[in-house]
Amino acid sequence: MFPTYEHYKQERAALIDRDRSLRADYAQVFSETELKADRIVRSIRTAEAASIWGAKHPEIAHPFPGMEFLTGRSIIVKTKLFEILSKMPKGALLHVHLDATVNAKTLLGLALEEPAMHVRVPQRLTRDNIASVLMEFKALPRGMVTDSESYMYGLTGAGYAPNTWVPLRAARETFDVNLGGPEGFDLWVVGVLSIDPSEAYGTHNTVDKIWEKFASIFQVSGGLIYFAPVWRKYLYEFLRSSVEDGISYIEARAMFFMEYMVGEDGMQNVPHREWLLMFDEVQNALKEELKQQARESEFIGARIIYTTLRFITTEELDWYCEDCISLKKEFPHLIAGFDLAGPENILLPLIDYAEGLLRFRERQREEGVDIPLILHAGETCGDGTHADMNLYDAVLLGSQRIGHGFSLVKHPKLMEACREKGILIEVCPISNEVLRLTSAMPMHPLPILMNNGIPIAISSDDPGVFGNVGLTFDMYQVLVSSEVTGLATLRELARDSLKYSTLGPKDKEEALDSWQRHWEIFVEWVADLSS
Amino acid sequence: MFPTYEHYKQERAALIDRDRSLRADYAQVFSETELKADRIVRSIRTAEAASIWGAKHPEIAHPFPGMEFLTGRSIIVKTKLFEILSKMPKGALLHVHLDATVNAKTLLGLALEEPAMHVRVPQRLTRDNIASVLMEFKALPRGMVTDSESYMYGLTGAGYAPNTWVPLRAARETFDVNLGGPEGFDLWVVGVLSIDPSEAYGTHNTVDKIWEKFASIFQVSGGLIYFAPVWRKYLYEFLRSSVEDGISYIEARAMFFMEYMVGEDGMQNVPHREWLLMFDEVQNALKEELKQQARESEFIGARIIYTTLRFITTEELDWYCEDCISLKKEFPHLIAGFDLAGPENILLPLIDYAEGLLRFRERQREEGVDIPLILHAGETCGDGTHADMNLYDAVLLGSQRIGHGFSLVKHPKLMEACREKGILIEVCPISNEVLRLTSAMPMHPLPILMNNGIPIAISSDDPGVFGNVGLTFDMYQVLVSSEVTGLATLRELARDSLKYSTLGPKDKEEALDSWQRHWEIFVEWVADLSS
């Protein structure tokens, strides 16, 4: 079979080559500079696996590259590799939920600027209940006088009447010193609005339990975010921080579940079209700002994937589809697609909406618009469960990309379909891990997708909640968990994120050209690191 | 595309069907009884997922079907599903390490029967060091007088001189009451020789750390097991308990790393050929016993996969290969194959032994024997690491089956090769989970292998260490973690375990016929459970 060991080694090299031939980074042309940058990055990775990850960290029991993000984050930010990746032009951010894009501390800061913003709790806050009581936020109409006593007692005073609205700033200033005073207030709010390691890896350490925490975050944060003045600043902060991270284009999922947002006057009367108007104003303002700094090539723009949740009735679906069509007609440049989101293990299966979504397509044809489906599917560890089966529907309904597709790797024919039809999978490594689909990055199925030639874009999902704002953290986790993947692979992932966006051909070409120029500057910089 | 919703549903059913068409349970003929038994098992699974796994268990924080085995074991044994599976004819056990097949408590009991067995510790055992000190066991020659003081002080008395041998029974009887007395001694030994939940899921919660614990177990237990009188009883206990669990045939990996075993006279002078003679005697005695109970059809027999470890030099490999050839010539019915084992992330890569293994094949040809390679490979979460790359060598070297193959799912061309060449993967679900390759069974890649039509046998690996003696526990974990897999699937797994064994054609046919008869009785019994 093998006349010599030499022959064996040749056959081995050929087999490895065939095995990797479907990868996005296979048989691509790389410049000398790119190859050098790739080598430098690999050698830093190897060195830091020993010097940084292999060192003792008193606070962290089991450090390793690709470890649980919430625990390992403090180590990640110390690495040279992280610093390098933070400068990389990332291409597009294709999977992010707009109401979870800004970290909790910043969001609270934005809300504190608004006198209309109030907070209440169902019972007076004490040392005993502070760990479990959830607050409710709401912007109240200017005219609506709140009880002056509420200023006096805040949420922690003995006289606090349950469920009384307290102005946000007053609640912070009067916060009981035994609960930490104003800083204690901040910690309490941030704790409710984000996931900490003890929750993800301790008290809530299963997919379903961590989703309970996750759902409670959205329930609470909505009151802060869906207030027009906060919403504007929030959008700005999201877009600005994305651009700083090297993201040049965004398709964000906006949850149009609530019919109205609270306006400046404190009335819940801002319709969906005005959300989009604000979105456009904010991004145009940022573009103008960047232009004045001669940085306009760093930001192509942002669009919205109209999203609702999988507990609506099929009748309600029709309403949302019509709403989406009318928005698309008014803002063709802003509406990128349509999605139904939510915890798939728990909510309704996609098949329940299939008939409605087929009707949606028919209606689009009648109205002369084109709104691609960009559906969540297979965000599960289930095998043959409803959530897993959602993948069949996503593919058959013609979803242009698939959100998560975590369980896709179980399905040989669906993988084939994704490869052949060019259905990109929006892979969210940190989200998958924090939501306990995988225990750490080395156990993530990403290499299976890559080796099967499925188009992939790395995404951050809910960076405001997980603490992975930008794409650097997710890219880092991907890069340190594989010896096959290198900087050259990340080039292809970044490029594919633009290629598989919903941008029109001309815009896409411009976006790719612009990305290419920034990429070349970046690899020059990396290649010079060794000298 | 879909003129009607009806048409959509038809296309969906067809796609699901194509997606599953490579599975072992696809398009098989099942009797009415089998189908009924399968339905009953599925409905019990669904009911118990809610009634038992969904209930509160005060001691267990996050119960769910397929959860961490060491924590969930106490719930598993309470289920009806477990009771049913314990009666299932399992077919062959193809991946098990002979020196980790009997639970620690039983092994200690066997050793206590031998007056020659001694124990020592490097320092007197106290409350402060008992959690970290490892003991050493050894059978000493009868003539070798041990210091009479050792009887007095035991391991815990103030006068114990470090590293003094104490007879095992005396050590137990004199064990300090403050350390729990004799029962404390048992707990200490069992603790050293097995992995508990706090180690696997707490202190040692990474692949590399848990391997350190794992390696220390083998280091200690060898002193008990590799003593001929214990070895015989140990083998008997292993074979007997396997048959009780419905296993009818075994190919066990025996570690021939140590050149000699300690004989009855306490001298380390029992050569490899006598290990095999004892192995044969013990299995023949069991067969005789079963025959007298008219149960001979329950046990076809057991064979040995000659195994050494991946830290030997290539020169040493030649020695082991020659040793294996001469044993095969003397005991052709006992030697089933050849393997190199050990923690792949740490030890030498298979490529280092490739040249030697090619020579081994040449030597077999010269000697007119056939010893298939049955190699460990890909027992790792690595992507492109040495351990992951071992899979290329296993396939190219013509391994007849692959032990673990955990990372095989990353390699489309290797999966294809396994499917086309009929290379069975010995999947060890509980082992993979306890050794932290996967956090729990729903995250295990088994469904990927199944849906890609790779032949699979479920195996227990090191049941004495993990507490999964037999195959029932592993089958349970597999069955509760998938909605696709049913009793019908387990039939195919059991059948394939015999089909892909190294039995000759005639023996294989008999083994399959015998299994079939037991299977029919079993499904009749299950089918009657509903009435």
Side-chain angles (χ1 to χ4, degrees):
Chain A
M1 197 174 176
F2 302 107
T4 62
Y5 181 52
E6 275 314 306
H7 182 234
Y8 175 82
K9 284 194 290 185
Q10 282 164 22
E11 287 290 321
R12 187 178 190 269
L15 178 58
I16 295 169
D17 191 68
R18 282 201 302 282
D19 197 43
R20 294 181 178 167
S21 62
L22 294 171
R23 287 177 63 92
D25 55 7
Y26 181 81
Q28 295 283 352
V29 179
F30 294 103
S31 69
E32 276 310 309
T33 312
E34 284 175 317
L35 292 174
K36 188 176 172 202
D38 185 86
R39 280 194 303 273
I40 289 170
V41 162
R42 284 173 189 271
S43 86
I44 293 172
R45 175 172 68 191
T46 302
E48 291 187 336
S51 66
I52 296 186
W53 293 102
K56 287 240 183 280
H57 298 269
E59 306 275 293
I60 297 170
H62 310 294
F64 61 90
M67 75 177 292
E68 296 83 347
F69 174 70
L70 301 178
T71 312
R73 192 181 192 283
S74 63
I75 301 180
I76 292 174
V77 295
K78 287 178 202 148
T79 63
K80 182 81 185 163
L81 203 59
F82 180 78
E83 191 202 325
I84 293 172
L85 290 180
S86 70
K87 297 190 167 39
M88 173 184 149
K90 309 290 193 305
L93 172 56
L94 295 181
H95 190 114
V96 68
H97 293 275
L98 204 45
D99 47 359
T101 53
V102 172
N103 75 61
K105 178 106 201 191
T106 309
L107 171 57
L108 176 59
L110 298 179
L112 280 165
E113 293 170 7
E114 303 300 326
M117 190 56 74
H118 287 64
V119 59
R120 67 177 182 180
V121 281
Q123 53 189 121
R124 181 173 74 92
L125 216 59
T126 64
R127 191 188 294 272
D128 290 339
N129 66 18
I130 190 166
S132 62
V133 164
L134 294 185
M135 72 289 281
E136 186 182 348
F137 295 109
K138 195 171 187 181
L140 298 181
R142 221 160 292 179
M144 185 169 159
V145 181
T146 49
D147 191 336
S148 69
E149 286 192 333
S150 72
Y151 286 90
M152 200 159 68
Y153 297 126
L155 302 172
T156 55
Y160 178 71
N163 284 319
T164 313
W165 290 109
V166 178
L168 188 61
R169 280 186 234 173
R172 184 175 187 275
E173 280 152 26
T174 61
F175 209 66
D176 189 347
V177 286
N178 292 312
L179 298 175
E183 289 73 28
F185 177 84
D186 296 348
L187 286 175
W188 173 55
V189 174
V190 169
V192 167
L193 294 184
S194 47
I195 294 176
D196 70 28
S198 75
E199 290 165 330
Y201 313 134
T203 55
H204 292 63
N205 188 17
T206 67
V207 176
D208 291 347
K209 283 193 183 170
I210 196 70
W211 263 100
E212 285 172 20
K213 164 75 190 185
F214 198 53
S216 81
I217 292 176
F218 286 102
Q219 187 194 320
V220 173
S221 67
L224 294 176
I225 300 168
Y226 291 102
F227 174 46
V230 173
W231 171 255
R232 282 175 203 269
K233 295 188 207 162
Y234 184 93
L235 287 177
Y236 176 82
E237 172 57 26
F238 163 53
L239 297 178
R240 186 202 60 74
S241 64
S242 299
V243 172
E244 292 310 323
D245 193 66
I247 293 164
S248 53
Y249 173 67
I250 297 166
E251 292 183 4
R253 281 160 167 90
M255 192 62 74
F256 286 94
F257 179 64
M258 277 162 291
E259 201 171 332
Y260 294 114
M261 188 185 286
V262 178
E264 219 148 332
D265 55 5
M267 305 302 287
Q268 197 171 335
N269 60 7
V270 183
H272 291 169
R273 65 177 297 279
E274 288 194 36
W275 303 21
L276 291 180
L277 283 172
M278 288 188 278
F279 186 83
D280 223 14
E281 279 167 33
V282 170
Q283 73 162 310
N284 288 334
L286 177 63
K287 282 179 184 172
E288 189 51 42
E289 231 179 276
L290 290 167
K291 196 170 174 183
Q292 281 169 17
Q293 300 166 33
R295 293 172 60 196
E296 65 266 42
S297 65
E298 292 180 37
F299 184 50
I300 305 302
R303 307 175 75 195
I304 280 190
I305 299 170
Y306 187 107
T307 304
T308 182
L309 280 170
R310 289 186 197 182
F311 55 64
I312 59 170
T313 64
T314 48
E315 292 73 33
E316 286 167 340
L317 175 62
D318 288 342
W319 186 91
Y320 286 107
C321 290
E322 291 302 322
D323 187 44
C324 184
I325 288 174
S326 70
L327 290 173
K328 178 71 181 174
K329 288 169 99 170
E330 187 172 357
F331 307 101
H333 64 298
L334 287 183
I335 297 291
F338 184 89
D339 188 15
L340 284 150
E344 290 179 78
N345 285 353
I346 295 160
L347 300 183
L348 294 175
L350 209 39
I351 181 77
D352 286 13
Y353 298 110
E355 202 167 0
L357 291 172
L358 293 174
R359 228 172 10 246
F360 182 35
R361 185 155 28 182
E362 202 45 51
R363 284 285 300 128
Q364 289 178 52
R365 202 166 306 156
E366 289 167 16
E367 298 289 336
V369 292
D370 179 29
I371 306 167
L373 294 178
I374 305 179
L375 297 167
H376 276 71
E379 187 185 6
T380 186
C381 291
D383 185 38
T385 60
H386 284 316
D388 181 34
M389 304 295 278
N390 283 344
L391 285 165
Y392 293 107
D393 296 292
V395 167
L396 283 174
L397 290 166
S399 195
Q400 182 162 324
R401 304 192 303 257
I402 290 175
H404 293 290
F406 189 87
S407 72
L408 182 73
V409 294
K410 291 176 183 158
H411 303 284
K413 284 293 160 192
L414 293 180
M415 290 234 278
E416 197 179 293
C418 288
R419 182 170 57 240
E420 290 174 1
K421 295 181 183 175
I423 302 172
L424 173 138
I425 308 300
E426 302 160 350
V427 175
C428 306
I430 289 171
S431 168
N432 295 157
E433 183 263 297
V434 174
L435 294 181
R436 307 281 70 207
L437 294 161
T438 183
S439 53
M441 200 51 207
M443 292 75 174
H444 194 283
L446 176 62
I448 309 178
L449 295 174
M450 296 185 86
N451 291 346
N452 276 279
I454 315 291
I456 290 156
I458 302 299
S459 299
S460 58
D461 204 11
D462 305 282
V465 176
F466 306 138
N468 57 331
V469 168
L471 277 171
T472 303
F473 286 107
D474 285 276
M475 293 276 184
Y476 182 91
Q477 292 291 73
V478 168
L479 187 61
V480 297
S481 303
S482 168
E483 293 295 312
V484 186
T485 290
L487 194 62
T489 320
L490 299 188
R491 184 189 84 173
E492 295 311 308
L493 293 179
R495 232 175 11 195
D496 279 352
S497 68
L498 290 168
K499 249 162 66 180
Y500 291 85
S501 73
T502 64
L503 286 170
K506 199 174 140 288
D507 290 345
K508 198 177 282 184
E509 206 188 308
E510 279 176 25
L512 281 162
D513 286 349
S514 172
W515 173 84
Q516 178 70 31
R517 287 193 302 277
H518 286 284
W519 173 261
E520 279 162 18
I521 295 165
F522 168 69
V523 288
E524 288 280 359
W525 173 73
V526 177
D528 278 348
L529 285 176
S530 68
S531 58
Chain B
M1 196 175 179
F2 302 108
T4 62
Y5 181 51
E6 273 317 303
H7 182 237
Y8 176 81
K9 284 193 290 186
Q10 281 165 23
E11 285 291 321
R12 186 179 192 268
L15 178 58
I16 295 170
D17 191 68
R18 283 200 303 281
D19 197 44
R20 294 182 179 168
S21 62
L22 294 171
R23 288 176 61 91
D25 55 7
Y26 181 80
Q28 295 284 352
V29 178
F30 294 103
S31 68
E32 275 310 309
T33 312
E34 284 176 316
L35 293 174
K36 189 176 171 202
D38 185 86
R39 281 193 303 272
I40 289 169
V41 161
R42 284 172 189 271
S43 88
I44 292 171
R45 174 173 68 190
T46 303
E48 290 187 339
S51 67
I52 296 185
W53 292 103
K56 287 241 182 279
H57 297 270
E59 306 275 294
I60 297 168
H62 309 295
F64 60 90
M67 74 177 293
E68 297 82 348
F69 174 69
L70 301 177
T71 312
R73 193 182 193 281
S74 62
I75 301 180
I76 293 174
V77 295
K78 286 180 200 147
T79 63
K80 181 80 185 161
L81 202 60
F82 180 78
E83 191 201 325
I84 293 172
L85 289 180
S86 71
K87 297 189 164 45
M88 174 183 147
K90 309 289 193 307
L93 173 56
L94 295 182
H95 190 112
V96 70
H97 293 275
L98 205 46
D99 48 358
T101 53
V102 171
N103 75 60
K105 177 107 200 187
T106 308
L107 171 58
L108 176 60
L110 298 179
L112 280 165
E113 293 170 7
E114 303 301 327
M117 190 56 72
H118 286 64
V119 60
R120 68 176 182 182
V121 282
Q123 53 188 122
R124 180 173 75 92
L125 215 59
T126 64
R127 192 188 294 272
D128 290 339
N129 66 19
I130 190 167
S132 62
V133 164
L134 294 185
M135 72 288 281
E136 187 182 349
F137 296 108
K138 193 170 190 183
L140 297 182
R142 223 162 289 179
M144 185 170 161
V145 180
T146 49
D147 191 336
S148 68
E149 285 192 333
S150 73
Y151 287 89
M152 200 161 63
Y153 297 125
L155 303 173
T156 55
Y160 178 72
N163 283 320
T164 313
W165 290 110
V166 178
L168 188 61
R169 280 186 234 172
R172 182 176 189 274
E173 279 152 25
T174 61
F175 209 67
D176 189 345
V177 285
N178 292 314
L179 298 175
E183 288 75 26
F185 177 84
D186 296 348
L187 286 175
W188 174 55
V189 174
V190 169
V192 167
L193 295 183
S194 47
I195 294 175
D196 71 26
S198 74
E199 291 164 331
Y201 313 134
T203 56
H204 292 62
N205 189 17
T206 66
V207 175
D208 291 347
K209 284 194 182 170
I210 196 70
W211 262 101
E212 286 172 20
K213 164 74 190 183
F214 198 52
S216 80
I217 292 175
F218 286 102
Q219 186 195 320
V220 174
S221 67
L224 294 175
I225 300 168
Y226 291 101
F227 174 46
V230 172
W231 171 255
R232 283 175 203 270
K233 293 187 209 164
Y234 185 92
L235 287 177
Y236 177 82
E237 173 56 25
F238 163 52
L239 298 178
R240 186 203 60 75
S241 65
S242 300
V243 173
E244 291 309 324
D245 193 65
I247 293 163
S248 52
Y249 173 68
I250 297 166
E251 291 181 5
R253 281 161 168 87
M255 192 62 73
F256 286 94
F257 177 64
M258 277 161 292
E259 202 170 329
Y260 295 111
M261 187 185 286
V262 179
E264 220 149 330
D265 56 5
M267 303 302 287
Q268 197 170 334
N269 60 7
V270 183
H272 290 168
R273 63 177 299 279
E274 289 195 35
W275 303 20
L276 290 179
L277 283 171
M278 288 189 278
F279 186 83
D280 223 14
E281 280 167 31
V282 170
Q283 74 162 310
N284 288 334
L286 177 63
K287 282 180 183 170
E288 191 51 43
E289 229 179 277
L290 289 167
K291 197 170 175 183
Q292 279 168 18
Q293 301 165 35
R295 292 172 60 196
E296 65 266 40
S297 65
E298 292 179 33
F299 184 49
I300 304 303
R303 308 175 76 194
I304 280 192
I305 299 169
Y306 187 106
T307 305
T308 181
L309 279 170
R310 290 186 196 181
F311 56 65
I312 60 170
T313 64
T314 50
E315 292 72 32
E316 286 167 339
L317 175 63
D318 288 343
W319 186 92
Y320 286 108
C321 289
E322 291 303 321
D323 186 44
C324 183
I325 287 173
S326 71
L327 290 173
K328 177 71 181 175
K329 286 168 101 169
E330 186 172 359
F331 308 100
H333 63 299
L334 287 184
I335 297 291
F338 185 89
D339 189 14
L340 285 150
E344 290 179 78
N345 285 352
I346 296 160
L347 300 184
L348 294 175
L350 210 38
I351 182 77
D352 286 12
Y353 299 110
E355 202 167 0
L357 291 172
L358 291 174
R359 234 177 357 252
F360 182 34
R361 185 154 30 180
E362 203 45 49
R363 284 287 299 131
Q364 290 178 51
R365 204 168 304 156
E366 288 167 16
E367 298 290 336
V369 292
D370 180 28
I371 305 168
L373 295 177
I374 306 178
L375 297 168
H376 277 71
E379 187 185 5
T380 186
C381 292
D383 185 39
T385 60
H386 283 319
D388 180 35
M389 304 294 279
N390 282 342
L391 285 165
Y392 294 109
D393 296 292
V395 167
L396 283 175
L397 290 166
S399 194
Q400 182 162 325
R401 304 193 301 257
I402 290 176
H404 294 291
F406 189 88
S407 71
L408 182 72
V409 294
K410 291 175 183 157
H411 303 285
K413 284 293 161 194
L414 293 179
M415 291 235 277
E416 198 180 292
C418 289
R419 182 170 58 241
E420 288 174 2
K421 297 182 183 174
I423 302 172
L424 175 138
I425 308 301
E426 303 160 350
V427 175
C428 306
I430 289 171
S431 168
N432 295 157
E433 182 262 298
V434 174
L435 294 180
R436 310 279 68 208
L437 295 162
T438 184
S439 53
M441 200 51 208
M443 292 74 175
H444 193 283
L446 177 61
I448 308 177
L449 295 173
M450 298 187 83
N451 291 346
N452 278 280
I454 316 292
I456 290 155
I458 302 299
S459 297
S460 57
D461 204 11
D462 305 282
V465 176
F466 306 138
N468 57 330
V469 169
L471 277 171
T472 303
F473 286 107
D474 285 277
M475 293 275 186
Y476 183 91
Q477 292 292 72
V478 167
L479 189 60
V480 297
S481 304
S482 167
E483 293 295 313
V484 186
T485 290
L487 195 62
T489 319
L490 298 188
R491 184 188 85 174
E492 295 311 309
L493 293 179
R495 229 166 25 187
D496 279 352
S497 68
L498 291 167
K499 251 162 64 180
Y500 291 85
S501 72
T502 64
L503 285 170
K506 200 174 138 287
D507 289 345
K508 198 177 281 186
E509 205 188 311
E510 279 175 26
L512 281 162
D513 285 350
S514 173
W515 173 84
Q516 178 72 30
R517 288 193 301 278
H518 287 283
W519 173 262
E520 279 163 18
I521 295 164
F522 167 69
V523 287
E524 288 279 359
W525 173 74
V526 177
D528 278 347
L529 285 175
S530 69
S531 57

